[in-house]
Amino acid sequence: MRWEFHNEAPIYAQVMERVERMIVSGVLPPGERLPSVRVFAQEAGINPNTMQKALTELERGGLIYSQRTSGHFVTEDKAVIIKAREELARLQTERFLQSMQELGFTAAQAAALLQQRLERKEEE
Amino acid sequence: MPIFTCENLSKRYGKVLALDHVDLNVEPGRIVGLLGPNGSGKSTMIKLANALLTPSEGRILIDGHTPGRETKAVVSYLPERTYLADWMSVRQLLDYFQDFYPDFERDRAAQMLAHLNIPETQRIKQMSKGTREKVQLILVMSRRAKLYLLDEPIGGVDPAARDYILNTIIGNYDPSAAVIISTHLIADVERILDEVIFIQNGRIVRHTPVDEIREQMGMSVDALFREEFKCF
């Protein structure tokens, strides 16, 4: 399955986020070896240099590490993964607020709607 | 060092200037999209690189040589229209490529063909258009060339065949070789490109990394192309 990309951000940035999500959600567990750049690029349907760039950036952030001959691995440092998970959650919250704002809701109104939604869920 | 260079390259057909003093460098390891409307000079440039035409002015250098015998050994070319006889079978095509090109890796081609369940006894005329395009691309990508020139490799095939063709280009990626893809199906190829060249009326109006277009202009290559080549 080719990965889907939108037009608003560079492809490498979207690849980074996708791999981050795979790591924080446990699809790629700590210590797991990633596919080779070529195979991973083919799986995503993207240029191998773009995949390499995304992995290099992730390595800079500490979420993955590379071993010269055997490829890339997910970090075993749980703290780094937890931090990445929080960062993604923060990003998701920003996006939610942004799209609520586009609909004309203030952050407080958006929070109230979210609260209502939670209370309804508790009743069920 | 660039693998492909145009220096002040012009091609004139009578009074028409098909290529207008083009300067260009393409480095090894890059997959480059040559993008432009019909009649912009894309095919002229590719034909000049294959010594099918000669420049009116300036020159092309491929791995340091002007197009000719030496460069044909290092350039793998997928023409826009097929040059293969339709009575040939897959096996005959493999023999033909093996005879012509010392850098042809027959096993690699045979493996990709087997993966598609194309029997070696099948003749070109028995194949669908999509299958023909796939077979030709497999042959071209199975050479260990330094420069791949692909003229409209995904024109006229269905989306599944397009995906297959693009994946085959990625799967055969070689960091020491460059790939130049001419096409106007930009939305489909963007994801496999490092750089794009926009060509219009025989001139290069833009040569930029794909990331830069998205980062600095906040739009896809397809969107930028539609804007810059808008027809009124």
Side-chain angles (χ1 to χ4, degrees), chain A residues 2-12 14 38 41-50 53, chain B residues 29-31 163 166-168 170-173 175 188 190-194 211 214-215 218-220:
Chain A
R2 282 173 13 135
W3 298 1
E4 293 299 328
F5 299 106
H6 58 75
N7 290 339
E8 277 77 54
I11 291 171
Y12 81 88
Q14 297 181 56
R38 182 194 298 267
Q42 243 184 320
E43 195 181 304
I46 60 166
N47 182 306
N49 294 320
T50 306
K53 184 170 178 182
Chain B
R30 312 296 278 176
I31 304 179
D163 283 355
L166 296 177
N167 248 306
T168 304
I170 302 167
N172 289 285
Y173 172 78
D188 289 304
E190 175 170 357
R191 58 199 291 153
I192 75 157
L193 300 179
D194 289 293
D211 285 344
R214 283 173 174 252
E215 253 160 12
M219 59 172 95
S220 66

mmCIF file of all heavy atoms in Angstrom, chain A residues 2-12 14 38 41-50 53, chain B residues 29-31 163 166-168 170-173 175 188 190-194 211 214-215 218-220:
data_model
loop_
_atom_site.group_PDB
_atom_site.id
_atom_site.type_symbol
_atom_site.label_atom_id
_atom_site.label_comp_id
_atom_site.label_asym_id
_atom_site.label_seq_id
_atom_site.Cartn_x
_atom_site.Cartn_y
_atom_site.Cartn_z
ATOM 1 N N ARG A 2 0.646 2.101 -0.994
ATOM 2 C CA ARG A 2 1.350 3.382 -1.019
ATOM 3 C C ARG A 2 0.810 4.278 0.075
ATOM 4 O O ARG A 2 -0.360 4.250 0.387
ATOM 5 C CB ARG A 2 1.110 4.069 -2.356
ATOM 6 C CG ARG A 2 1.951 3.501 -3.444
ATOM 7 C CD ARG A 2 1.619 4.055 -4.808
ATOM 8 N NE ARG A 2 0.782 5.216 -4.819
ATOM 9 C CZ ARG A 2 1.009 6.284 -5.573
ATOM 10 N NH1 ARG A 2 2.086 6.354 -6.290
ATOM 11 N NH2 ARG A 2 0.167 7.281 -5.607
ATOM 12 N N TRP A 3 1.685 5.086 0.628
ATOM 13 C CA TRP A 3 1.234 6.029 1.644
ATOM 14 C C TRP A 3 0.583 7.228 0.955
ATOM 15 O O TRP A 3 0.987 7.624 -0.133
ATOM 16 C CB TRP A 3 2.416 6.501 2.496
ATOM 17 C CG TRP A 3 3.088 5.399 3.259
ATOM 18 C CD1 TRP A 3 2.761 4.059 3.240
ATOM 19 C CD2 TRP A 3 4.202 5.521 4.138
ATOM 20 N NE1 TRP A 3 3.599 3.358 4.052
ATOM 21 C CE2 TRP A 3 4.500 4.228 4.630
ATOM 22 C CE3 TRP A 3 4.978 6.592 4.578
ATOM 23 C CZ2 TRP A 3 5.537 3.979 5.519
ATOM 24 C CZ3 TRP A 3 6.020 6.344 5.462
ATOM 25 C CH2 TRP A 3 6.285 5.057 5.934
ATOM 26 N N GLU A 4 -0.384 7.809 1.639
ATOM 27 C CA GLU A 4 -1.039 9.006 1.089
ATOM 28 C C GLU A 4 -0.363 10.254 1.639
ATOM 29 O O GLU A 4 -0.008 10.302 2.813
ATOM 30 C CB GLU A 4 -2.520 9.019 1.480
ATOM 31 C CG GLU A 4 -3.342 7.906 0.841
ATOM 32 C CD GLU A 4 -3.346 7.980 -0.680
ATOM 33 O OE1 GLU A 4 -3.286 9.101 -1.230
ATOM 34 O OE2 GLU A 4 -3.392 6.923 -1.323
ATOM 35 N N PHE A 5 -0.205 11.251 0.789
ATOM 36 C CA PHE A 5 0.401 12.515 1.232
ATOM 37 C C PHE A 5 -0.493 13.685 0.854
ATOM 38 O O PHE A 5 -1.167 13.645 -0.162
ATOM 39 C CB PHE A 5 1.778 12.701 0.584
ATOM 40 C CG PHE A 5 2.742 11.617 0.955
ATOM 41 C CD1 PHE A 5 3.090 10.639 0.041
ATOM 42 C CD2 PHE A 5 3.281 11.556 2.230
ATOM 43 C CE1 PHE A 5 3.968 9.621 0.397
ATOM 44 C CE2 PHE A 5 4.160 10.553 2.584
ATOM 45 C CZ PHE A 5 4.497 9.578 1.666
ATOM 46 N N HIS A 6 -0.481 14.706 1.698
ATOM 47 C CA HIS A 6 -1.200 15.926 1.336
ATOM 48 C C HIS A 6 -0.211 16.927 0.765
ATOM 49 O O HIS A 6 0.996 16.685 0.739
ATOM 50 C CB HIS A 6 -1.970 16.476 2.548
ATOM 51 C CG HIS A 6 -1.099 16.790 3.736
ATOM 52 N ND1 HIS A 6 -0.283 17.895 3.772
ATOM 53 C CD2 HIS A 6 -0.884 16.121 4.905
ATOM 54 C CE1 HIS A 6 0.372 17.910 4.915
ATOM 55 N NE2 HIS A 6 0.043 16.843 5.623
ATOM 56 N N ASN A 7 -0.733 18.068 0.310
ATOM 57 C CA ASN A 7 0.111 19.019 -0.420
ATOM 58 C C ASN A 7 0.700 20.131 0.425
ATOM 59 O O ASN A 7 1.435 20.970 -0.080
ATOM 60 C CB ASN A 7 -0.698 19.648 -1.564
ATOM 61 C CG ASN A 7 -0.982 18.641 -2.653
ATOM 62 O OD1 ASN A 7 -0.285 17.632 -2.749
ATOM 63 N ND2 ASN A 7 -1.988 18.902 -3.450
ATOM 64 N N GLU A 8 0.366 20.154 1.717
ATOM 65 C CA GLU A 8 0.741 21.327 2.508
ATOM 66 C C GLU A 8 2.162 21.272 3.075
ATOM 67 O O GLU A 8 2.716 22.294 3.423
ATOM 68 C CB GLU A 8 -0.249 21.562 3.658
ATOM 69 C CG GLU A 8 -1.492 22.332 3.236
ATOM 70 C CD GLU A 8 -2.486 21.474 2.487
ATOM 71 O OE1 GLU A 8 -2.856 20.419 3.041
ATOM 72 O OE2 GLU A 8 -2.867 21.817 1.367
ATOM 73 N N ALA A 9 2.724 20.077 3.198
ATOM 74 C CA ALA A 9 4.055 19.972 3.806
ATOM 75 C C ALA A 9 4.961 19.122 2.909
ATOM 76 O O ALA A 9 4.468 18.320 2.120
ATOM 77 C CB ALA A 9 3.929 19.327 5.192
ATOM 78 N N PRO A 10 6.286 19.301 3.043
ATOM 79 C CA PRO A 10 7.197 18.461 2.271
ATOM 80 C C PRO A 10 6.955 16.981 2.585
ATOM 81 O O PRO A 10 6.557 16.645 3.707
ATOM 82 C CB PRO A 10 8.585 18.880 2.744
ATOM 83 C CG PRO A 10 8.422 20.214 3.372
ATOM 84 C CD PRO A 10 7.019 20.271 3.886
ATOM 85 N N ILE A 11 7.212 16.135 1.609
ATOM 86 C CA ILE A 11 6.937 14.710 1.779
ATOM 87 C C ILE A 11 7.780 14.121 2.911
ATOM 88 O O ILE A 11 7.284 13.338 3.713
ATOM 89 C CB ILE A 11 7.131 13.964 0.439
ATOM 90 C CG1 ILE A 11 6.005 14.389 -0.521
ATOM 91 C CG2 ILE A 11 7.108 12.450 0.640
ATOM 92 C CD1 ILE A 11 6.153 13.920 -1.937
ATOM 93 N N TYR A 12 9.068 14.553 3.012
ATOM 94 C CA TYR A 12 9.903 13.968 4.068
ATOM 95 C C TYR A 12 9.314 14.251 5.458
ATOM 96 O O TYR A 12 9.368 13.409 6.353
ATOM 97 C CB TYR A 12 11.368 14.443 3.953
ATOM 98 C CG TYR A 12 11.635 15.798 4.547
ATOM 99 C CD1 TYR A 12 11.973 15.926 5.895
ATOM 100 C CD2 TYR A 12 11.559 16.953 3.783
ATOM 101 C CE1 TYR A 12 12.212 17.168 6.456
ATOM 102 C CE2 TYR A 12 11.790 18.195 4.329
ATOM 103 C CZ TYR A 12 12.105 18.293 5.665
ATOM 104 O OH TYR A 12 12.333 19.523 6.215
ATOM 105 N N GLN A 14 6.166 14.614 6.205
ATOM 106 C CA GLN A 14 5.002 13.736 6.390
ATOM 107 C C GLN A 14 5.449 12.299 6.675
ATOM 108 O O GLN A 14 4.810 11.588 7.445
ATOM 109 C CB GLN A 14 4.107 13.785 5.152
ATOM 110 C CG GLN A 14 3.522 15.180 4.907
ATOM 111 C CD GLN A 14 2.611 15.209 3.689
ATOM 112 O OE1 GLN A 14 1.648 14.444 3.609
ATOM 113 N NE2 GLN A 14 2.922 16.075 2.737
ATOM 114 N N ARG A 38 15.783 1.440 0.889
ATOM 115 C CA ARG A 38 15.205 1.129 -0.415
ATOM 116 C C ARG A 38 13.836 0.453 -0.268
ATOM 117 O O ARG A 38 12.861 0.855 -0.900
ATOM 118 C CB ARG A 38 16.146 0.223 -1.205
ATOM 119 C CG ARG A 38 15.631 -0.109 -2.588
ATOM 120 C CD ARG A 38 16.418 -1.253 -3.183
ATOM 121 N NE ARG A 38 17.820 -0.901 -3.330
ATOM 122 C CZ ARG A 38 18.334 -0.386 -4.444
ATOM 123 N NH1 ARG A 38 17.573 -0.164 -5.475
ATOM 124 N NH2 ARG A 38 19.610 -0.101 -4.506
ATOM 125 N N ALA A 41 11.312 2.854 1.207
ATOM 126 C CA ALA A 41 10.922 3.851 0.202
ATOM 127 C C ALA A 41 9.930 3.241 -0.784
ATOM 128 O O ALA A 41 8.948 3.873 -1.167
ATOM 129 C CB ALA A 41 12.151 4.368 -0.535
ATOM 130 N N GLN A 42 10.193 2.001 -1.149
ATOM 131 C CA GLN A 42 9.297 1.329 -2.094
ATOM 132 C C GLN A 42 7.923 1.101 -1.475
ATOM 133 O O GLN A 42 6.899 1.265 -2.131
ATOM 134 C CB GLN A 42 9.904 -0.008 -2.511
ATOM 135 C CG GLN A 42 10.207 -0.055 -3.989
ATOM 136 C CD GLN A 42 10.712 -1.392 -4.433
ATOM 137 O OE1 GLN A 42 11.501 -2.042 -3.749
ATOM 138 N NE2 GLN A 42 10.252 -1.840 -5.576
ATOM 139 N N GLU A 43 7.958 0.716 -0.189
ATOM 140 C CA GLU A 43 6.707 0.479 0.526
ATOM 141 C C GLU A 43 5.868 1.773 0.567
ATOM 142 O O GLU A 43 4.658 1.747 0.363
ATOM 143 C CB GLU A 43 7.054 0.031 1.943
ATOM 144 C CG GLU A 43 5.918 -0.598 2.713
ATOM 145 C CD GLU A 43 6.380 -0.968 4.118
ATOM 146 O OE1 GLU A 43 7.375 -1.715 4.228
ATOM 147 O OE2 GLU A 43 5.765 -0.503 5.089
ATOM 148 N N ALA A 44 6.540 2.884 0.798
ATOM 149 C CA ALA A 44 5.841 4.169 0.872
ATOM 150 C C ALA A 44 5.542 4.735 -0.510
ATOM 151 O O ALA A 44 4.701 5.614 -0.652
ATOM 152 C CB ALA A 44 6.681 5.161 1.672
ATOM 153 N N GLY A 45 6.246 4.229 -1.523
ATOM 154 C CA GLY A 45 6.084 4.753 -2.873
ATOM 155 C C GLY A 45 6.739 6.105 -3.058
ATOM 156 O O GLY A 45 6.211 6.972 -3.738
ATOM 157 N N ILE A 46 7.911 6.301 -2.420
ATOM 158 C CA ILE A 46 8.602 7.596 -2.509
ATOM 159 C C ILE A 46 10.069 7.426 -2.902
ATOM 160 O O ILE A 46 10.616 6.323 -2.848
ATOM 161 C CB ILE A 46 8.551 8.373 -1.169
ATOM 162 C CG1 ILE A 46 9.228 7.573 -0.049
ATOM 163 C CG2 ILE A 46 7.109 8.716 -0.801
ATOM 164 C CD1 ILE A 46 9.523 8.385 1.191
ATOM 165 N N ASN A 47 10.667 8.554 -3.239
ATOM 166 C CA ASN A 47 12.081 8.624 -3.593
ATOM 167 C C ASN A 47 12.956 8.151 -2.413
ATOM 168 O O ASN A 47 12.740 8.590 -1.283
ATOM 169 C CB ASN A 47 12.359 10.099 -3.918
ATOM 170 C CG ASN A 47 13.768 10.352 -4.352
ATOM 171 O OD1 ASN A 47 14.713 10.004 -3.664
ATOM 172 N ND2 ASN A 47 13.904 10.974 -5.495
ATOM 173 N N PRO A 48 13.936 7.271 -2.658
ATOM 174 C CA PRO A 48 14.789 6.783 -1.564
ATOM 175 C C PRO A 48 15.545 7.894 -0.833
ATOM 176 O O PRO A 48 15.782 7.789 0.369
ATOM 177 C CB PRO A 48 15.772 5.835 -2.272
ATOM 178 C CG PRO A 48 15.082 5.446 -3.535
ATOM 179 C CD PRO A 48 14.228 6.617 -3.939
ATOM 180 N N ASN A 49 15.911 8.966 -1.553
ATOM 181 C CA ASN A 49 16.601 10.078 -0.887
ATOM 182 C C ASN A 49 15.681 10.781 0.112
ATOM 183 O O ASN A 49 16.134 11.290 1.137
ATOM 184 C CB ASN A 49 17.106 11.093 -1.918
ATOM 185 C CG ASN A 49 18.182 10.501 -2.808
ATOM 186 O OD1 ASN A 49 19.049 9.768 -2.347
ATOM 187 N ND2 ASN A 49 18.102 10.782 -4.099
ATOM 188 N N THR A 50 14.385 10.825 -0.222
ATOM 189 C CA THR A 50 13.404 11.432 0.677
ATOM 190 C C THR A 50 13.276 10.589 1.944
ATOM 191 O O THR A 50 13.229 11.124 3.060
ATOM 192 C CB THR A 50 12.031 11.540 -0.021
ATOM 193 O OG1 THR A 50 12.202 12.227 -1.257
ATOM 194 C CG2 THR A 50 11.016 12.275 0.832
ATOM 195 N N LYS A 53 16.324 11.115 4.066
ATOM 196 C CA LYS A 53 16.268 12.410 4.747
ATOM 197 C C LYS A 53 15.360 12.329 5.980
ATOM 198 O O LYS A 53 15.722 12.818 7.056
ATOM 199 C CB LYS A 53 15.753 13.474 3.773
ATOM 200 C CG LYS A 53 15.749 14.882 4.337
ATOM 201 C CD LYS A 53 15.466 15.897 3.239
ATOM 202 C CE LYS A 53 15.400 17.304 3.805
ATOM 203 N NZ LYS A 53 15.087 18.293 2.753
ATOM 204 N N GLY B 29 22.703 10.088 -8.680
ATOM 205 C CA GLY B 29 21.909 9.809 -7.481
ATOM 206 C C GLY B 29 20.606 10.584 -7.435
ATOM 207 O O GLY B 29 19.851 10.455 -6.483
ATOM 208 N N ARG B 30 20.353 11.410 -8.452
ATOM 209 C CA ARG B 30 19.149 12.237 -8.456
ATOM 210 C C ARG B 30 18.096 11.667 -9.403
ATOM 211 O O ARG B 30 18.420 11.183 -10.484
ATOM 212 C CB ARG B 30 19.465 13.670 -8.896
ATOM 213 C CG ARG B 30 20.652 14.280 -8.203
ATOM 214 C CD ARG B 30 20.436 14.446 -6.723
ATOM 215 N NE ARG B 30 19.667 15.656 -6.429
ATOM 216 C CZ ARG B 30 19.279 15.976 -5.202
ATOM 217 N NH1 ARG B 30 19.549 15.177 -4.178
ATOM 218 N NH2 ARG B 30 18.601 17.078 -4.996
ATOM 219 N N ILE B 31 16.844 11.767 -8.979
ATOM 220 C CA ILE B 31 15.722 11.449 -9.862
ATOM 221 C C ILE B 31 15.058 12.781 -10.193
ATOM 222 O O ILE B 31 14.597 13.487 -9.298
ATOM 223 C CB ILE B 31 14.729 10.477 -9.190
ATOM 224 C CG1 ILE B 31 15.458 9.199 -8.740
ATOM 225 C CG2 ILE B 31 13.588 10.131 -10.143
ATOM 226 C CD1 ILE B 31 14.571 8.176 -8.031
ATOM 227 N N ASP B 163 1.570 2.923 -10.730
ATOM 228 C CA ASP B 163 2.203 2.624 -9.448
ATOM 229 C C ASP B 163 3.322 1.606 -9.634
ATOM 230 O O ASP B 163 4.395 1.732 -9.060
ATOM 231 C CB ASP B 163 1.181 2.054 -8.452
ATOM 232 C CG ASP B 163 0.296 3.144 -7.866
ATOM 233 O OD1 ASP B 163 0.547 4.319 -8.167
ATOM 234 O OD2 ASP B 163 -0.636 2.801 -7.119
ATOM 235 N N LEU B 166 6.329 3.321 -11.304
ATOM 236 C CA LEU B 166 7.047 4.219 -10.379
ATOM 237 C C LEU B 166 7.807 3.417 -9.327
ATOM 238 O O LEU B 166 8.942 3.735 -8.979
ATOM 239 C CB LEU B 166 6.068 5.200 -9.718
ATOM 240 C CG LEU B 166 5.388 6.176 -10.696
ATOM 241 C CD1 LEU B 166 4.387 7.054 -9.968
ATOM 242 C CD2 LEU B 166 6.413 7.039 -11.431
ATOM 243 N N ASN B 167 7.182 2.339 -8.851
ATOM 244 C CA ASN B 167 7.848 1.490 -7.863
ATOM 245 C C ASN B 167 9.063 0.790 -8.438
ATOM 246 O O ASN B 167 10.047 0.555 -7.740
ATOM 247 C CB ASN B 167 6.867 0.454 -7.322
ATOM 248 C CG ASN B 167 6.548 0.725 -5.876
ATOM 249 O OD1 ASN B 167 7.448 0.828 -5.059
ATOM 250 N ND2 ASN B 167 5.281 0.871 -5.563
ATOM 251 N N THR B 168 8.980 0.436 -9.714
ATOM 252 C CA THR B 168 10.120 -0.215 -10.369
ATOM 253 C C THR B 168 11.281 0.764 -10.500
ATOM 254 O O THR B 168 12.442 0.393 -10.335
ATOM 255 C CB THR B 168 9.682 -0.754 -11.743
ATOM 256 O OG1 THR B 168 8.579 -1.628 -11.543
ATOM 257 C CG2 THR B 168 10.802 -1.520 -12.431
ATOM 258 N N ILE B 170 11.869 3.247 -8.394
ATOM 259 C CA ILE B 170 12.432 3.360 -7.039
ATOM 260 C C ILE B 170 13.242 2.124 -6.679
ATOM 261 O O ILE B 170 14.334 2.214 -6.133
ATOM 262 C CB ILE B 170 11.324 3.526 -5.972
ATOM 263 C CG1 ILE B 170 10.467 4.752 -6.252
ATOM 264 C CG2 ILE B 170 11.921 3.628 -4.579
ATOM 265 C CD1 ILE B 170 9.193 4.767 -5.414
ATOM 266 N N GLY B 171 12.672 0.957 -6.988
ATOM 267 C CA GLY B 171 13.304 -0.314 -6.598
ATOM 268 C C GLY B 171 14.649 -0.535 -7.279
ATOM 269 O O GLY B 171 15.485 -1.268 -6.778
ATOM 270 N N ASN B 172 14.851 0.101 -8.423
ATOM 271 C CA ASN B 172 16.114 -0.054 -9.138
ATOM 272 C C ASN B 172 17.027 1.158 -8.954
ATOM 273 O O ASN B 172 18.004 1.316 -9.670
ATOM 274 C CB ASN B 172 15.848 -0.295 -10.628
ATOM 275 C CG ASN B 172 15.264 -1.667 -10.866
ATOM 276 O OD1 ASN B 172 15.963 -2.678 -10.799
ATOM 277 N ND2 ASN B 172 13.965 -1.736 -11.097
ATOM 278 N N TYR B 173 16.661 2.002 -7.976
ATOM 279 C CA TYR B 173 17.448 3.212 -7.720
ATOM 280 C C TYR B 173 18.909 2.868 -7.446
ATOM 281 O O TYR B 173 19.215 1.960 -6.681
ATOM 282 C CB TYR B 173 16.862 3.948 -6.509
ATOM 283 C CG TYR B 173 17.703 5.111 -6.049
ATOM 284 C CD1 TYR B 173 17.667 6.312 -6.729
ATOM 285 C CD2 TYR B 173 18.543 4.986 -4.950
ATOM 286 C CE1 TYR B 173 18.455 7.375 -6.319
ATOM 287 C CE2 TYR B 173 19.327 6.050 -4.535
ATOM 288 C CZ TYR B 173 19.279 7.235 -5.223
ATOM 289 O OH TYR B 173 20.063 8.285 -4.814
ATOM 290 N N PRO B 175 22.469 4.912 -6.453
ATOM 291 C CA PRO B 175 22.999 6.221 -6.063
ATOM 292 C C PRO B 175 24.080 6.754 -6.998
ATOM 293 O O PRO B 175 24.396 7.941 -6.962
ATOM 294 C CB PRO B 175 23.558 5.997 -4.656
ATOM 295 C CG PRO B 175 23.368 4.565 -4.338
ATOM 296 C CD PRO B 175 22.607 3.895 -5.427
ATOM 297 N N ASP B 188 1.403 12.405 -10.197
ATOM 298 C CA ASP B 188 1.788 11.008 -9.987
ATOM 299 C C ASP B 188 3.275 10.831 -9.707
ATOM 300 O O ASP B 188 3.659 9.974 -8.917
ATOM 301 C CB ASP B 188 1.427 10.176 -11.225
ATOM 302 C CG ASP B 188 -0.071 9.997 -11.364
ATOM 303 O OD1 ASP B 188 -0.678 9.495 -10.419
ATOM 304 O OD2 ASP B 188 -0.626 10.375 -12.408
ATOM 305 N N GLU B 190 5.557 13.215 -8.635
ATOM 306 C CA GLU B 190 6.209 14.112 -7.676
ATOM 307 C C GLU B 190 6.874 13.363 -6.521
ATOM 308 O O GLU B 190 7.983 13.673 -6.115
ATOM 309 C CB GLU B 190 5.195 15.111 -7.121
ATOM 310 C CG GLU B 190 5.817 15.962 -6.032
ATOM 311 C CD GLU B 190 4.957 17.133 -5.602
ATOM 312 O OE1 GLU B 190 3.880 17.341 -6.174
ATOM 313 O OE2 GLU B 190 5.393 17.831 -4.682
ATOM 314 N N ARG B 191 6.169 12.369 -5.991
ATOM 315 C CA ARG B 191 6.658 11.676 -4.805
ATOM 316 C C ARG B 191 7.945 10.890 -5.036
ATOM 317 O O ARG B 191 8.598 10.494 -4.088
ATOM 318 C CB ARG B 191 5.563 10.777 -4.233
ATOM 319 C CG ARG B 191 5.078 9.754 -5.238
ATOM 320 C CD ARG B 191 3.723 9.198 -4.857
ATOM 321 N NE ARG B 191 3.780 8.379 -3.680
ATOM 322 C CZ ARG B 191 2.756 8.203 -2.842
ATOM 323 N NH1 ARG B 191 1.617 8.795 -3.056
ATOM 324 N NH2 ARG B 191 2.877 7.418 -1.816
ATOM 325 N N ILE B 192 8.308 10.629 -6.276
ATOM 326 C CA ILE B 192 9.561 9.894 -6.495
ATOM 327 C C ILE B 192 10.687 10.825 -6.976
ATOM 328 O O ILE B 192 11.789 10.361 -7.264
ATOM 329 C CB ILE B 192 9.391 8.700 -7.448
ATOM 330 C CG1 ILE B 192 9.271 9.142 -8.909
ATOM 331 C CG2 ILE B 192 8.199 7.829 -7.057
ATOM 332 C CD1 ILE B 192 9.655 8.018 -9.868
ATOM 333 N N LEU B 193 10.426 12.117 -7.060
ATOM 334 C CA LEU B 193 11.431 13.035 -7.603
ATOM 335 C C LEU B 193 12.255 13.724 -6.514
ATOM 336 O O LEU B 193 11.747 14.036 -5.445
ATOM 337 C CB LEU B 193 10.749 14.129 -8.432
ATOM 338 C CG LEU B 193 9.925 13.685 -9.634
ATOM 339 C CD1 LEU B 193 9.312 14.906 -10.305
ATOM 340 C CD2 LEU B 193 10.752 12.894 -10.626
ATOM 341 N N ASP B 194 13.548 13.982 -6.841
ATOM 342 C CA ASP B 194 14.384 14.857 -6.013
ATOM 343 C C ASP B 194 14.246 16.299 -6.474
ATOM 344 O O ASP B 194 14.206 17.211 -5.664
ATOM 345 C CB ASP B 194 15.866 14.491 -6.162
ATOM 346 C CG ASP B 194 16.210 13.174 -5.518
ATOM 347 O OD1 ASP B 194 16.131 13.098 -4.285
ATOM 348 O OD2 ASP B 194 16.558 12.227 -6.242
ATOM 349 N N ASP B 211 11.446 19.506 -2.366
ATOM 350 C CA ASP B 211 11.203 19.943 -0.979
ATOM 351 C C ASP B 211 11.122 21.461 -0.877
ATOM 352 O O ASP B 211 10.357 21.994 -0.086
ATOM 353 C CB ASP B 211 12.329 19.463 -0.052
ATOM 354 C CG ASP B 211 12.213 17.983 0.248
ATOM 355 O OD1 ASP B 211 11.136 17.422 0.009
ATOM 356 O OD2 ASP B 211 13.210 17.400 0.713
ATOM 357 N N ARG B 214 7.729 22.863 -1.810
ATOM 358 C CA ARG B 214 6.729 22.673 -0.759
ATOM 359 C C ARG B 214 7.042 23.528 0.470
ATOM 360 O O ARG B 214 6.142 24.078 1.089
ATOM 361 C CB ARG B 214 6.659 21.197 -0.362
ATOM 362 C CG ARG B 214 5.896 20.375 -1.374
ATOM 363 C CD ARG B 214 5.975 18.902 -1.072
ATOM 364 N NE ARG B 214 5.126 18.158 -1.975
ATOM 365 C CZ ARG B 214 3.980 17.588 -1.618
ATOM 366 N NH1 ARG B 214 3.561 17.662 -0.381
ATOM 367 N NH2 ARG B 214 3.263 16.923 -2.500
ATOM 368 N N GLU B 215 8.341 23.639 0.806
ATOM 369 C CA GLU B 215 8.711 24.380 2.009
ATOM 370 C C GLU B 215 8.569 25.880 1.817
ATOM 371 O O GLU B 215 8.040 26.576 2.669
ATOM 372 C CB GLU B 215 10.158 24.052 2.411
ATOM 373 C CG GLU B 215 10.229 23.180 3.633
ATOM 374 C CD GLU B 215 11.560 22.455 3.761
ATOM 375 O OE1 GLU B 215 12.522 22.779 3.050
ATOM 376 O OE2 GLU B 215 11.623 21.541 4.595
ATOM 377 N N GLY B 218 4.863 26.462 -0.196
ATOM 378 C CA GLY B 218 3.705 25.843 0.442
ATOM 379 C C GLY B 218 2.732 25.215 -0.532
ATOM 380 O O GLY B 218 1.542 25.193 -0.295
ATOM 381 N N MET B 219 3.260 24.705 -1.640
ATOM 382 C CA MET B 219 2.362 24.018 -2.566
ATOM 383 C C MET B 219 3.076 22.834 -3.206
ATOM 384 O O MET B 219 4.298 22.735 -3.169
ATOM 385 C CB MET B 219 1.830 24.979 -3.628
ATOM 386 C CG MET B 219 2.868 25.658 -4.474
ATOM 387 S SD MET B 219 2.082 26.576 -5.816
ATOM 388 C CE MET B 219 1.969 28.198 -5.115
ATOM 389 N N SER B 220 2.263 21.944 -3.769
ATOM 390 C CA SER B 220 2.845 20.793 -4.441
ATOM 391 C C SER B 220 3.397 21.238 -5.792
ATOM 392 O O SER B 220 3.080 22.321 -6.280
ATOM 393 C CB SER B 220 1.779 19.719 -4.659
ATOM 394 O OG SER B 220 0.815 20.197 -5.560
#
